[in-house]
Amino acid sequence: MSIRFESVSKSFGTKKILDDVSFEVTRGEVLFILGKSGMGKSVTLKHIIGVFAPDAGKVFVDQYEVSAMTSGARMDDLTLVRQRCGMVFQHPALLDSLTNFENIAFGLRSKQYSQKIGRKLSEEEIRDVVLEKLSLVYLEPEILQLYPHEVSYGVQKRVSMARTLAPGPEYLLFDEPTTGLDPLSTSSINALISELSRKLKVTSIIVSHDMACALSIADQIMFLDQGKILLMAPPKEVISSAIPLVQDFFKETMELLPPDWSLEK
Amino acid sequence: MNIESKVTSAMEGTTHTLKAGVNTSFAVFVKTLEELGGSWIFFMRIIRTFRKTSGYKEAIIQQIAEVSTRTIGTVIFAGIFVGAILVLQFDVMLRRFDAQTLLGGLNTSATIREIGPMIISFLLAGKIGAFTTAELANMRVTEQIDAVESLGVSPIQYLIIPRFFAIVFSSVVLLAIGLSVSVVGSILVAQSFSGMNMYQYISSIPRFAGAWTIFEGLVRSIIFSTIVANTSTYKGYTASGGARGVGKAVTEAAIYINVYIVVANFISSSLLEWIHDLVYWFISLAERFFF
């Protein structure tokens, strides 16, 4: 049970975004992907759910080769893969025309979900799941009847997480989940990600700029630069790495951390 | 600089300008072909998904209600003037030949067959088309479409098909309403400005506007509605690049819809004329043999 990239390359126009990228995330692992903007971090995530297809190479989610599922009959298999992967986007990406309740229940009402569990959930069951996921992201039921534009950006992010968690994904993919948030909301979202990854014991891939969060949550940290993997290692090895970009990231992070900080904490 | 080098330099300049012109024209041609190809593939994708899946009734009805209520006022208001403009134009010309009695028939025929569907489709493109493109493009750039996809739901199924069929269906109905209103508008203007009485105007209509005219108007309405629906959903669905991308998608959708409608109008006019002749040839042949 894993997510595996085999020599994946992807270009947009003349710009090469991913260049022969290979890595594997095994079950239960938390992988952080770090790197400067525009280095292919989000593109890597979108390859996993088949939003992008690689120009060369293969992407596997468990036994499924996602990179070969972009058209025709294989689209049904892609739906199966997408149900295994829950993705939290950079923006909350909530559907404006639906209430927060309907947004969280969206995946549960789909025909594809009903096919997966072999039956259609009753309204009562949907409500129970929605309330359960809402409590996981520390939100009160009062926000359920409101529309996304009626709640704060931080709450929208949490609703978006609850929506992703609702169908019970086996893999969680976070695309810069703290972008646009104030420092307090950022630390609470980071704590939430850490808690969800551990509590739900799901494999998580988190794209971020937040080295401090990565050092405290990740099992593996991967640095992407110029479309290539610069380093993929556990946090301890990352701290001692001599690679300039990694050192720069670490130095910037150390300035923000309390003086008594250590990896063990 | 001697005369020879002046001529050489002028020739080089002309060649350069010509080359640039040819390159630009070629680029525009290639881009148009790309757009046409993209639209066609998107259209086939919609039809294929629609045929494979079911359960759209509720979503389509909801979209039809939204589209119709948003547009009907504009269509009625503009429809009155579509007929009125044509009455004034025809009246000037027919007066010269003392053939004002033909005004009702000519005007109604031209309104239903040609001008009505085209002008009202332009209106629908501005009203429904622009709204749909902007809505979908915004959903695309804020990753709402990706989110729908990531939850295992097909965006074509959930977002595009209800909008596509709602636009086609509502546009045909709105065109029918717009055309009816424009006929009424033309009667009112013919009475007020051209001094024709209502009976005289209406009595000349059957001479020029029969079942075939209505059929032509209906065929054109369906074609133009499909163009509005397909192009607006396609441009919205494939938008990229933030707020600027939304603006670009809406502008391009408006341009392409108008161009496609004008070209489709020309092609449909030629084809329908040809079909009309063929049908009447068969009818006359059948009459000769059987009666």
Side-chain angles (χ1 to χ4, degrees):
Chain A
M1 300 289 267
S2 66
I3 290 176
R4 199 166 75 249
F5 274 55
E6 286 180 6
S7 305
V8 171
S9 295
K10 177 77 180 174
S11 301
F12 291 111
T14 53
K15 194 177 178 193
K16 198 148 203 172
I17 303 294
L18 296 179
D19 187 5
D20 200 22
V21 168
S22 301
F23 68 90
E24 184 169 6
V25 190
T26 52
R27 191 162 187 82
E29 248 186 0
V30 177
L31 169 74
F32 258 75
I33 304 178
L34 300 178
K36 290 187 281 187
S37 297
M39 290 299 143
K41 302 189 296 293
S42 301
V43 173
T44 305
L45 278 195
K46 287 183 179 176
H47 271 87
I48 298 170
I49 55 165
V51 170
F52 292 139
D55 298 334
K58 292 173 180 176
V59 179
F60 290 92
V61 173
D62 299 335
Q63 73 272 34
Y64 298 102
E65 189 191 333
V66 185
S67 41
M69 295 177 181
T70 47
S71 63
R74 304 294 304 274
M75 287 299 279
D76 293 340
D77 289 338
L78 187 58
T79 305
L80 282 177
V81 170
R82 284 173 175 164
Q83 281 171 345
R84 287 175 185 222
C85 303
M87 181 149 173
V88 176
F89 290 86
Q90 197 169 347
H91 301 287
L94 298 171
L95 295 164
D96 308 326
S97 54
L98 304 181
T99 60
N100 291 324
F101 179 88
E102 291 300 329
N103 264 293
I104 300 173
F106 186 81
L108 303 171
R109 291 194 199 285
S110 70
K111 280 181 194 162
Q112 290 79 358
Y113 182 74
S114 303
Q115 279 168 4
K116 181 186 161 189
I117 62 164
R119 69 190 177 90
K120 206 176 168 205
L121 285 185
S122 68
E123 278 307 305
E124 206 173 308
E125 285 172 311
I126 289 176
R127 190 161 181 85
D128 289 344
V129 176
V130 170
L131 288 172
E132 185 205 330
K133 302 305 172 192
L134 200 71
S135 67
L136 270 180
V137 295
Y138 299 106
L139 284 175
E140 296 298 321
E142 284 74 48
I143 60 107
L144 286 175
Q145 294 317 311
L146 300 174
Y147 283 89
H149 68 269
E150 293 174 320
V151 295
S152 72
Y153 193 71
V155 173
Q156 285 181 29
K157 285 256 181 180
R158 284 166 188 264
V159 172
S160 152
M161 280 190 183
R163 175 180 66 180
T164 305
L165 295 172
E170 290 159 42
Y171 298 97
L172 277 176
L173 314 173
F174 294 91
D175 186 5
E176 298 188 24
T178 54
T179 300
L181 290 176
D182 59 83
L184 278 179
S185 304
T186 300
S187 60
S188 79
I189 292 280
N190 281 339
L192 192 61
I193 292 170
S194 166
E195 201 185 325
L196 289 175
S197 305
R198 302 292 171 217
K199 198 189 271 183
L200 302 174
K201 293 188 176 65
V202 289
T203 312
S204 303
I205 300 181
I206 301 148
V207 163
S208 178
H209 296 286
D210 196 337
M211 179 82 159
C213 181
L215 289 173
S216 52
I217 301 175
D219 295 312
Q220 297 272 347
I221 297 175
M222 182 167 101
F223 275 87
L224 270 179
D225 193 41
Q226 310 290 343
K228 285 187 178 292
I229 297 176
L230 214 57
L231 172 76
M232 186 167 163
K236 271 186 184 170
E237 283 178 40
V238 169
I239 293 172
S240 55
S241 167
I243 299 169
L245 179 77
V246 179
Q247 282 187 339
D248 289 347
F249 257 83
F250 189 57
K251 272 182 209 159
E252 288 289 323
T253 308
M254 287 311 284
E255 283 169 18
L256 298 170
L257 290 172
D260 62 335
W261 183 88
S262 77
L263 189 59
E264 279 64 40
K265 287 190 178 182
Chain B
M1 194 184 257
N2 61 26
I3 186 81
E4 200 177 315
S5 57
K6 270 185 186 170
V7 169
T8 313
S9 153
M11 278 179 73
E12 273 174 6
T14 313
T15 315
H16 182 74
T17 314
L18 272 172
K19 267 186 187 168
V22 168
N23 284 343
T24 315
S25 308
F26 186 70
V28 170
F29 178 68
V30 170
K31 170 107 172 83
T32 311
L33 279 185
E34 270 176 14
E35 282 296 332
L36 266 175
S39 295
W40 178 251
I41 291 167
F42 189 70
F43 176 69
M44 293 312 290
R45 209 172 147 194
I46 293 171
I47 300 300
R48 222 176 19 241
T49 312
F50 183 69
R51 282 171 59 190
K52 258 175 48 185
T53 48
S54 59
Y56 296 108
K57 208 168 133 193
E58 210 174 292
I60 292 176
I61 290 172
Q62 193 193 336
Q63 285 290 328
I64 287 173
E66 268 186 45
V67 168
S68 308
T69 47
R70 211 183 295 138
T71 322
I72 194 157
T74 318
V75 169
I76 289 175
F77 184 74
I80 293 171
F81 289 96
V82 171
I85 295 163
L86 283 181
V87 164
L88 295 178
Q89 293 300 318
F90 276 126
D91 186 44
V92 171
M93 285 184 273
L94 292 174
R95 222 178 262 268
R96 286 187 201 160
F97 301 100
D98 202 19
Q100 267 181 293
T101 46
L102 305 177
L103 184 62
L106 280 176
N107 185 53
T108 309
S109 171
T111 305
I112 294 175
R113 288 172 61 195
E114 291 282 344
I115 310 299
M118 203 161 82
I119 293 182
I120 294 171
S121 294
F122 288 158
L123 270 176
L124 294 176
K127 192 90 179 174
I128 308 173
F131 181 87
T132 306
T133 307
E135 189 185 26
L136 289 171
N138 186 49
M139 291 178 89
R140 170 61 80 192
V141 301
T142 55
E143 295 182 314
Q144 290 180 50
I145 293 179
D146 288 345
V148 168
E149 220 168 352
S150 76
L151 286 161
V153 176
S154 156
I156 296 285
Q157 217 173 319
Y158 178 72
L159 296 169
I160 305 298
I161 288 178
R163 281 170 177 76
F164 179 89
F165 285 100
I167 293 175
V168 173
F169 185 77
S170 334
S171 299
V172 172
V173 174
L174 288 166
L175 274 163
I177 294 170
L179 293 178
S180 311
V181 170
S182 70
V183 173
V184 174
S186 57
I187 293 173
L188 292 175
V189 173
Q191 262 190 315
S192 323
F193 291 89
S194 309
M196 281 191 86
N197 69 50
M198 199 189 291
Y199 176 76
Q200 201 181 7
Y201 185 93
I202 294 173
S203 64
S204 74
I205 293 177
R207 287 178 67 190
F208 293 91
W212 184 262
T213 311
I214 294 168
F215 173 73
E216 271 194 55
L218 188 69
V219 169
R220 280 205 181 88
S221 301
I222 293 170
I223 293 171
F224 298 166
S225 307
T226 309
I227 288 173
V228 173
N230 193 57
T231 312
S232 59
T233 49
Y234 170 66
K235 293 308 292 181
Y237 188 75
T238 54
S240 63
R244 200 179 154 82
V246 176
K248 193 176 164 224
V250 174
T251 312
E252 282 187 359
I255 294 168
Y256 282 114
I257 288 172
N258 290 345
V259 171
Y260 291 161
I261 285 176
V262 173
V263 175
N265 197 22
F266 171 75
I267 295 170
S268 62
S269 291
S270 320
L271 277 177
L272 287 167
E273 198 61 43
W274 182 77
I275 293 168
H276 175 264
D277 291 346
L278 196 70
V279 167
Y280 279 88
W281 182 77
F282 271 115
I283 290 171
S284 62
L285 202 68
E287 276 174 351
R288 201 179 299 163
F289 278 104
F290 298 109
F291 303 107

